[in-house]
Short mmCIF file of all heavy atoms in Angstrom, two decimals:
data_model
loop_
_atom_site.label_atom_id
_atom_site.label_comp_id
_atom_site.label_asym_id
_atom_site.label_seq_id
_atom_site.Cartn_x
_atom_site.Cartn_y
_atom_site.Cartn_z
N THR J 1 15.16 33.11 -88.67
CA THR J 1 16.48 33.79 -88.65
C THR J 1 17.49 33.03 -89.48
O THR J 1 17.25 31.87 -89.84
CB THR J 1 16.95 33.92 -87.18
OG1 THR J 1 18.06 34.72 -87.08
CG2 THR J 1 17.23 32.57 -86.56
N ARG J 2 18.59 33.67 -89.75
CA ARG J 2 19.70 33.01 -90.47
C ARG J 2 20.92 32.85 -89.59
O ARG J 2 21.25 33.71 -88.83
CB ARG J 2 20.13 33.88 -91.70
CG ARG J 2 19.23 33.80 -92.89
CD ARG J 2 19.82 34.58 -94.04
NE ARG J 2 18.96 34.65 -95.20
CZ ARG J 2 18.95 33.71 -96.20
NH1 ARG J 2 19.81 32.74 -96.14
NH2 ARG J 2 18.16 33.87 -97.21
N ARG J 3 21.55 31.69 -89.68
CA ARG J 3 22.80 31.38 -88.99
C ARG J 3 23.69 30.67 -90.04
O ARG J 3 23.29 29.61 -90.54
CB ARG J 3 22.60 30.56 -87.73
CG ARG J 3 21.82 31.30 -86.67
CD ARG J 3 21.69 30.56 -85.37
NE ARG J 3 20.93 31.34 -84.41
CZ ARG J 3 20.69 30.91 -83.15
NH1 ARG J 3 21.08 29.67 -82.77
NH2 ARG J 3 19.99 31.66 -82.31
N ASN J 4 24.85 31.24 -90.32
CA ASN J 4 25.77 30.69 -91.31
C ASN J 4 25.05 30.46 -92.65
O ASN J 4 25.20 29.45 -93.27
CB ASN J 4 26.37 29.38 -90.82
CG ASN J 4 27.21 29.58 -89.59
OD1 ASN J 4 27.94 30.54 -89.47
ND2 ASN J 4 27.12 28.64 -88.66
N ALA J 5 24.20 31.46 -92.99
CA ALA J 5 23.44 31.48 -94.26
C ALA J 5 22.23 30.58 -94.29
O ALA J 5 21.38 30.71 -95.16
CB ALA J 5 24.37 31.16 -95.42
N PHE J 6 22.10 29.69 -93.32
CA PHE J 6 20.95 28.76 -93.30
C PHE J 6 19.81 29.39 -92.49
O PHE J 6 20.00 30.04 -91.49
CB PHE J 6 21.36 27.43 -92.67
CG PHE J 6 22.28 26.63 -93.53
CD1 PHE J 6 23.65 26.70 -93.34
CD2 PHE J 6 21.79 25.78 -94.52
CE1 PHE J 6 24.55 25.96 -94.10
CE2 PHE J 6 22.66 25.05 -95.32
CZ PHE J 6 24.04 25.14 -95.11
N ARG J 7 18.60 29.14 -92.94
CA ARG J 7 17.38 29.64 -92.23
C ARG J 7 17.02 28.65 -91.10
O ARG J 7 17.08 27.42 -91.32
CB ARG J 7 16.24 29.83 -93.19
CG ARG J 7 16.34 31.06 -94.10
CD ARG J 7 15.02 31.28 -94.79
NE ARG J 7 15.13 32.49 -95.66
CZ ARG J 7 15.50 32.41 -96.90
NH1 ARG J 7 15.77 31.25 -97.50
NH2 ARG J 7 15.56 33.52 -97.65
N TYR J 8 16.55 29.22 -90.02
CA TYR J 8 16.08 28.42 -88.87
C TYR J 8 14.77 29.01 -88.39
O TYR J 8 14.61 30.25 -88.36
CB TYR J 8 17.08 28.41 -87.75
CG TYR J 8 18.36 27.70 -88.05
CD1 TYR J 8 19.43 28.37 -88.67
CD2 TYR J 8 18.55 26.36 -87.73
CE1 TYR J 8 20.60 27.73 -88.97
CE2 TYR J 8 19.73 25.70 -88.00
CZ TYR J 8 20.78 26.41 -88.61
OH TYR J 8 21.92 25.77 -88.92
N ALA J 9 13.86 28.16 -88.05
CA ALA J 9 12.62 28.62 -87.36
C ALA J 9 13.01 29.17 -86.05
O ALA J 9 13.86 28.62 -85.30
CB ALA J 9 11.64 27.48 -87.21
N GLY J 10 12.37 30.29 -85.61
CA GLY J 10 12.66 30.92 -84.36
C GLY J 10 11.68 30.48 -83.27
O GLY J 10 10.86 29.57 -83.43
N ALA J 11 11.72 31.26 -82.16
CA ALA J 11 10.81 30.97 -81.05
C ALA J 11 9.38 31.16 -81.44
O ALA J 11 8.47 30.42 -81.00
CB ALA J 11 11.16 31.86 -79.84
N VAL J 12 9.09 32.16 -82.26
CA VAL J 12 7.68 32.40 -82.71
C VAL J 12 7.15 31.21 -83.44
O VAL J 12 5.99 30.73 -83.15
CB VAL J 12 7.62 33.67 -83.60
CG1 VAL J 12 6.22 33.82 -84.19
CG2 VAL J 12 7.99 34.92 -82.80
N GLU J 13 7.93 30.69 -84.37
CA GLU J 13 7.45 29.51 -85.11
C GLU J 13 7.28 28.32 -84.19
O GLU J 13 6.34 27.51 -84.40
CB GLU J 13 8.41 29.21 -86.29
CG GLU J 13 8.38 30.22 -87.41
CD GLU J 13 9.05 31.55 -87.08
OE1 GLU J 13 10.03 31.53 -86.29
OE2 GLU J 13 8.56 32.59 -87.53
N ALA J 14 8.15 28.18 -83.21
CA ALA J 14 8.02 27.06 -82.27
C ALA J 14 6.72 27.17 -81.51
O ALA J 14 6.05 26.18 -81.23
CB ALA J 14 9.18 27.04 -81.30
N ALA J 15 6.31 28.40 -81.15
CA ALA J 15 5.01 28.57 -80.44
C ALA J 15 3.86 28.10 -81.31
O ALA J 15 2.90 27.54 -80.79
CB ALA J 15 4.85 30.05 -80.10
N PHE J 16 4.03 28.31 -82.61
CA PHE J 16 2.97 27.84 -83.52
C PHE J 16 3.01 26.36 -83.76
O PHE J 16 1.96 25.69 -83.91
CB PHE J 16 3.11 28.56 -84.89
CG PHE J 16 2.80 30.05 -84.83
CD1 PHE J 16 3.35 30.89 -85.79
CD2 PHE J 16 1.98 30.59 -83.87
CE1 PHE J 16 3.08 32.26 -85.75
CE2 PHE J 16 1.73 31.93 -83.81
CZ PHE J 16 2.24 32.80 -84.76
N LEU J 17 4.17 25.77 -83.76
CA LEU J 17 4.32 24.34 -84.04
C LEU J 17 3.95 23.45 -82.84
O LEU J 17 3.52 22.32 -83.03
CB LEU J 17 5.78 24.04 -84.48
CG LEU J 17 6.10 24.53 -85.89
CD1 LEU J 17 7.63 24.47 -86.10
CD2 LEU J 17 5.39 23.76 -86.95
N ILE J 18 4.19 23.98 -81.63
CA ILE J 18 3.82 23.19 -80.42
C ILE J 18 2.38 23.53 -80.06
O ILE J 18 2.07 24.59 -79.52
CB ILE J 18 4.74 23.50 -79.26
CG1 ILE J 18 6.22 23.24 -79.68
CG2 ILE J 18 4.39 22.67 -78.02
CD1 ILE J 18 7.26 23.71 -78.64
N ASP J 19 1.46 22.64 -80.37
CA ASP J 19 0.05 22.94 -80.18
C ASP J 19 -0.31 23.28 -78.74
O ASP J 19 -1.13 24.16 -78.49
CB ASP J 19 -0.81 21.74 -80.57
CG ASP J 19 -0.82 21.47 -82.05
OD1 ASP J 19 -0.47 22.40 -82.84
OD2 ASP J 19 -1.08 20.33 -82.51
N GLU J 20 0.37 22.64 -77.77
CA GLU J 20 0.04 22.83 -76.38
C GLU J 20 0.74 24.05 -75.76
O GLU J 20 0.41 24.41 -74.58
CB GLU J 20 0.41 21.62 -75.56
CG GLU J 20 -0.33 20.32 -75.95
CD GLU J 20 0.31 19.61 -77.15
OE1 GLU J 20 1.41 20.11 -77.62
OE2 GLU J 20 -0.24 18.64 -77.61
N MET J 21 1.56 24.75 -76.45
CA MET J 21 2.21 25.91 -75.95
C MET J 21 1.22 27.05 -75.77
O MET J 21 0.53 27.45 -76.69
CB MET J 21 3.36 26.39 -76.85
CG MET J 21 4.08 27.63 -76.37
SD MET J 21 5.19 27.31 -74.98
CE MET J 21 6.62 26.54 -75.76
N ASP J 22 1.11 27.58 -74.56
CA ASP J 22 0.28 28.75 -74.30
C ASP J 22 1.08 30.03 -74.60
O ASP J 22 2.30 30.04 -74.44
CB ASP J 22 -0.18 28.79 -72.81
CG ASP J 22 -1.13 27.69 -72.46
OD1 ASP J 22 -1.98 27.39 -73.31
OD2 ASP J 22 -1.01 27.14 -71.35
N VAL J 23 0.43 31.03 -75.05
CA VAL J 23 1.08 32.32 -75.36
C VAL J 23 0.31 33.44 -74.74
O VAL J 23 -0.93 33.37 -74.66
CB VAL J 23 1.28 32.53 -76.88
CG1 VAL J 23 2.08 31.40 -77.49
CG2 VAL J 23 -0.09 32.64 -77.62
N GLU J 24 1.01 34.47 -74.33
CA GLU J 24 0.33 35.75 -73.97
C GLU J 24 0.67 36.76 -75.04
O GLU J 24 1.78 36.73 -75.59
CB GLU J 24 0.77 36.24 -72.59
CG GLU J 24 2.24 36.51 -72.44
CD GLU J 24 2.60 37.43 -71.26
OE1 GLU J 24 2.22 37.11 -70.14
OE2 GLU J 24 3.26 38.42 -71.54
N ILE J 25 -0.27 37.61 -75.34
CA ILE J 25 -0.05 38.67 -76.31
C ILE J 25 -0.49 40.01 -75.82
O ILE J 25 -1.48 40.14 -75.07
CB ILE J 25 -0.77 38.36 -77.66
CG1 ILE J 25 -2.26 38.23 -77.49
CG2 ILE J 25 -0.20 37.10 -78.32
CD1 ILE J 25 -3.04 38.07 -78.77
N ILE J 26 0.27 41.04 -76.16
CA ILE J 26 -0.07 42.42 -75.82
C ILE J 26 -0.97 42.96 -76.93
O ILE J 26 -0.49 43.49 -77.91
CB ILE J 26 1.17 43.31 -75.66
CG1 ILE J 26 2.19 42.67 -74.72
CG2 ILE J 26 0.78 44.73 -75.14
CD1 ILE J 26 3.54 43.38 -74.68
N ALA J 27 -2.28 42.80 -76.70
CA ALA J 27 -3.26 43.10 -77.78
C ALA J 27 -3.72 44.58 -77.69
O ALA J 27 -4.90 44.85 -77.64
CB ALA J 27 -4.40 42.13 -77.68
N ASP J 28 -2.75 45.48 -77.73
CA ASP J 28 -3.12 46.92 -77.70
C ASP J 28 -3.28 47.48 -79.08
O ASP J 28 -3.56 48.69 -79.25
CB ASP J 28 -2.08 47.69 -76.90
CG ASP J 28 -0.66 47.61 -77.47
OD1 ASP J 28 -0.48 46.92 -78.46
OD2 ASP J 28 0.22 48.25 -76.88
N GLY J 29 -3.07 46.64 -80.12
CA GLY J 29 -3.15 47.10 -81.47
C GLY J 29 -1.89 47.80 -81.93
O GLY J 29 -1.84 48.28 -83.12
N ILE J 30 -0.89 47.95 -81.12
CA ILE J 30 0.36 48.62 -81.42
C ILE J 30 1.52 47.61 -81.38
O ILE J 30 2.29 47.48 -82.33
CB ILE J 30 0.58 49.81 -80.51
CG1 ILE J 30 -0.52 50.85 -80.70
CG2 ILE J 30 1.98 50.47 -80.81
CD1 ILE J 30 -0.45 52.02 -79.75
N HIS J 31 1.70 46.96 -80.30
CA HIS J 31 2.73 45.93 -80.20
C HIS J 31 2.54 44.89 -81.25
O HIS J 31 3.51 44.38 -81.85
CB HIS J 31 2.73 45.25 -78.80
CG HIS J 31 3.38 46.06 -77.74
ND1 HIS J 31 2.79 47.13 -77.15
CD2 HIS J 31 4.64 45.96 -77.15
CE1 HIS J 31 3.63 47.68 -76.29
NE2 HIS J 31 4.75 46.96 -76.23
N LEU J 32 1.26 44.51 -81.53
CA LEU J 32 0.98 43.57 -82.60
C LEU J 32 -0.12 44.17 -83.49
O LEU J 32 -1.18 44.47 -83.01
CB LEU J 32 0.49 42.26 -82.04
CG LEU J 32 1.48 41.45 -81.19
CD1 LEU J 32 0.77 40.30 -80.47
CD2 LEU J 32 2.62 40.96 -82.01
N PRO J 33 0.17 44.39 -84.75
CA PRO J 33 -0.83 44.94 -85.65
C PRO J 33 -1.95 43.93 -85.95
O PRO J 33 -1.78 42.74 -85.64
CB PRO J 33 -0.06 45.28 -86.91
CG PRO J 33 1.08 44.31 -86.89
CD PRO J 33 1.45 44.16 -85.43
N PRO J 34 -3.05 44.37 -86.52
CA PRO J 34 -4.21 43.46 -86.74
C PRO J 34 -3.88 42.19 -87.48
O PRO J 34 -4.34 41.10 -87.12
CB PRO J 34 -5.20 44.32 -87.56
CG PRO J 34 -4.88 45.72 -87.11
CD PRO J 34 -3.40 45.75 -86.83
N ASP J 35 -2.98 42.24 -88.53
CA ASP J 35 -2.69 41.05 -89.26
C ASP J 35 -1.98 39.97 -88.40
O ASP J 35 -2.27 38.79 -88.52
CB ASP J 35 -1.73 41.34 -90.46
CG ASP J 35 -2.51 42.08 -91.58
OD1 ASP J 35 -3.72 42.03 -91.58
OD2 ASP J 35 -1.85 42.64 -92.45
N LEU J 36 -1.10 40.41 -87.47
CA LEU J 36 -0.46 39.45 -86.60
C LEU J 36 -1.44 38.90 -85.55
O LEU J 36 -1.38 37.74 -85.17
CB LEU J 36 0.75 40.04 -85.94
CG LEU J 36 2.01 40.23 -86.84
CD1 LEU J 36 3.15 40.79 -86.05
CD2 LEU J 36 2.37 38.93 -87.56
N LEU J 37 -2.32 39.73 -85.06
CA LEU J 37 -3.36 39.28 -84.12
C LEU J 37 -4.17 38.16 -84.78
O LEU J 37 -4.47 37.12 -84.15
CB LEU J 37 -4.22 40.40 -83.68
CG LEU J 37 -3.57 41.50 -82.79
CD1 LEU J 37 -4.53 42.63 -82.54
CD2 LEU J 37 -3.04 40.92 -81.50
N LYS J 38 -4.56 38.41 -86.03
CA LYS J 38 -5.41 37.41 -86.75
C LYS J 38 -4.59 36.14 -87.01
O LYS J 38 -5.12 35.01 -86.90
CB LYS J 38 -5.83 38.01 -88.09
CG LYS J 38 -6.86 39.15 -87.96
CD LYS J 38 -7.17 39.76 -89.30
CE LYS J 38 -8.11 40.96 -89.15
NZ LYS J 38 -8.39 41.62 -90.40
N LEU J 39 -3.30 36.29 -87.31
CA LEU J 39 -2.44 35.09 -87.58
C LEU J 39 -2.33 34.29 -86.29
O LEU J 39 -2.48 33.02 -86.34
CB LEU J 39 -1.07 35.54 -88.05
CG LEU J 39 -0.04 34.42 -88.25
CD1 LEU J 39 -0.47 33.47 -89.34
CD2 LEU J 39 1.32 35.01 -88.58
N ILE J 40 -2.06 34.91 -85.18
CA ILE J 40 -1.93 34.19 -83.90
C ILE J 40 -3.21 33.40 -83.61
O ILE J 40 -3.18 32.20 -83.22
CB ILE J 40 -1.59 35.12 -82.78
CG1 ILE J 40 -0.18 35.71 -83.01
CG2 ILE J 40 -1.60 34.41 -81.43
CD1 ILE J 40 0.11 36.92 -82.11
N CYS J 41 -4.34 34.05 -83.77
CA CYS J 41 -5.62 33.37 -83.51
C CYS J 41 -5.86 32.20 -84.45
O CYS J 41 -6.33 31.15 -84.05
CB CYS J 41 -6.78 34.39 -83.63
SG CYS J 41 -6.81 35.65 -82.35
#
């Protein structure tokens, strides 16, 4: 996201950066399309 023109990593990126963070995903194929499912995995 941008704040005062500067880019910041959001909560999604933090989930990726913190190895021990657990995540739940709604894997119905609609809330998250195949490309995002593959990226999360």
Side-chain angles (χ1 to χ4, degrees):
T1 189
R2 283 184 183 272
R3 294 184 180 180
N4 298 322
F6 292 94
R7 286 191 181 91
Y8 293 86
V12 172
E13 289 73 33
F16 291 156
L17 289 167
I18 302 173
D19 291 340
E20 297 83 5
M21 180 72 79
D22 291 321
V23 301
E24 59 160 56
I25 59 174
I26 308 170
D28 59 359
I30 298 176
H31 280 78
L32 296 171
D35 286 345
L36 287 183
L37 293 175
K38 292 174 184 177
L39 176 63
I40 295 166
C41 291

